[in-house]
């Protein structure tokens, strides 16, 4: 029996929580790896540390990350993405129907919380919300920069901003943890960015054949009712 895979993740794309509350990524990966006959463990670290552990071959891979040319120097990415993440605008539930997002002009006169870009290693470069949105918000002086999604969600709930930009997957998890379910809702009519999220494996510890097998198993699992049940659990 092969050793358990040791995967890490950061606080940016938190697709798992812990053994008691594994999150979408954790639930999906446990089932996929079980089908491949491999045990897996998850650890969370700050972004830069997590990536450096993978780059140095101290861990087997990253649970959820974006595919970059720099990252591919050190890691093998599964061809099949774990999920497609979307960045959307959140509003207070009380403002559903009052506030909308069909174009940038809908944001004029409303403060928008948005996470500042975080300096980090090149391999983990984040896709940013569209430059057009950044430029528009700066031009209209209604961008409220925060140091993290939870901060923006709290500001939204407290009425300090009217919109908050966040990853749909991450924000929905945070809203539940923060006790804000029913108070904050995503506007799903239009996203501000979309990006595939992948599992990556360090080339120093994981064979290309296993990565291919994992990718095929993940693709097959995503066609099952079991996957749909997990997805609906986190995105009802």
């Amino acid at each position: 029996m092969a050793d358990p895979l040791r995967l890490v993740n950061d606080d940016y794309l938190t697709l798992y929580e812990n053994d008691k509350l594994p999150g979408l990524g954790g639930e999906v990966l446990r089932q996929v790896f079980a089908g491949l006959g491999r045990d897996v463990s998850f650890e969370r670290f700050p972004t830069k540390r997590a990536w450096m552990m993978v780059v140095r071959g101290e861990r087997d891979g990253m649970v959820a990350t974006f595919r970059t040319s720099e990252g591919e120097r050190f890691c093998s990415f599964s061809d099949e993405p774990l999920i497609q993440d979307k960045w959307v605008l959140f509003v207070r539930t009380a403002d559903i129907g009052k506030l909308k997002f069909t174009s940038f002009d809908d944001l004029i006169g409303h403060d928008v919380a948005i996470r500042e870009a975080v300096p980090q290693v090149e391999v983990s470069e984040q896709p940013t919300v569209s430059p057009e949105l950044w430029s528009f918000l700066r031009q209209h002086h209604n961008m409220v920069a925060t140091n993290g999604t939870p901060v923006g969600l709290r500001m939204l709930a407290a009425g300090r901003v009217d919109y908050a930009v966040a990853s749909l997957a991450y924000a929905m998890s945070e809203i539940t943890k923060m006790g804000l379910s029913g108070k904050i809702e995503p506007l799903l009519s239009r996203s501000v960015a979309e990006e595939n999220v992948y599992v990556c494996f360090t080339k120093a510890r994981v064979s290309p054949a296993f990565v291919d097998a994992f990718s095929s198993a993940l693709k097959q699992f995503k066609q099952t009712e079991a996957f749909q049940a997990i997805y609906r659990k986190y995105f009802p």
Side-chain angles (χ1 to χ4, degrees):
M1 178 67 68
D3 292 336
L5 289 160
R6 301 178 66 186
L7 301 182
V8 296
N9 209 53
D10 60 14
D11 289 323
Y12 180 56
L13 278 173
T14 309
L15 296 181
Y16 69 91
E17 302 301 333
N18 51 49
D19 288 338
K20 294 181 180 179
L21 182 63
L24 182 146
E27 290 201 43
V28 169
L29 294 182
R30 286 191 192 282
Q31 294 208 36
V32 172
F33 285 124
L36 292 170
R38 295 294 295 272
D39 290 330
V40 61
S41 66
F42 303 121
E43 299 170 276
R44 186 187 302 171
F45 297 99
T47 300
K48 193 168 184 177
R49 182 180 176 191
W51 258 109
M52 292 313 299
M53 293 172 80
V54 173
V55 169
R56 292 194 296 256
E58 297 169 2
R59 295 295 187 272
D60 295 303
M62 183 80 88
V63 171
T65 188
F66 304 109
R67 193 166 191 161
T68 66
S69 57
E70 186 65 20
E72 288 181 325
R73 292 177 53 197
F74 307 97
C75 295
S76 299
F77 289 78
S78 60
D79 288 333
E80 182 68 19
L82 180 59
I83 62 167
Q84 183 183 65
D85 198 12
K86 296 181 179 181
W87 278 258
V88 300
L89 286 161
F90 285 78
V91 298
R92 288 178 293 279
T93 303
D95 287 331
I96 293 289
K98 302 175 187 176
L99 298 178
K100 59 182 180 177
F101 180 52
T102 57
S103 71
F104 289 169
D105 286 344
D106 291 329
L107 307 179
I108 295 175
H110 299 284
D111 286 336
V112 181
I114 188 168
R115 184 182 191 269
E116 289 181 304
V118 178
Q120 51 191 307
V121 290
E122 291 180 355
V123 288
S124 60
E125 180 183 355
Q126 304 168 5
T128 58
V129 175
S130 69
E132 293 81 10
L133 178 58
W134 281 92
S135 176
F136 183 88
L137 294 178
R138 287 197 179 101
Q139 178 184 348
H140 290 86
H141 307 289
N142 60 339
M143 180 172 70
V144 179
T146 73
N147 62 2
T149 294
V151 176
L153 295 175
R154 290 191 192 97
M155 293 177 70
L156 177 62
R160 295 171 58 191
V161 296
D162 294 319
Y163 294 89
V165 178
S167 153
L168 180 60
Y170 180 33
M172 293 302 288
S173 171
E174 288 298 301
I175 286 170
T176 299
K177 288 196 299 180
M178 296 162 64
L180 296 176
S181 297
K183 300 178 181 179
I184 296 176
E185 302 286 344
L187 297 178
L188 300 177
S189 57
R190 178 178 175 178
S191 61
V192 295
E194 296 185 10
E195 185 79 9
N196 284 333
V197 177
Y198 295 89
V199 180
C200 76
F201 301 90
T202 176
K203 294 178 179 178
R205 295 164 63 106
V206 181
S207 71
F210 180 81
V211 178
D212 289 342
F214 166 80
S215 186
S216 296
L218 175 60
K219 184 175 182 178
Q220 292 174 11
F221 183 69
K222 286 169 64 177
Q223 307 306 311
T224 67
E225 175 57 31
F227 173 81
Q228 294 302 323
I230 293 171
Y231 191 87
R232 288 194 297 268
K233 178 179 176 181
Y234 293 94
F235 300 101

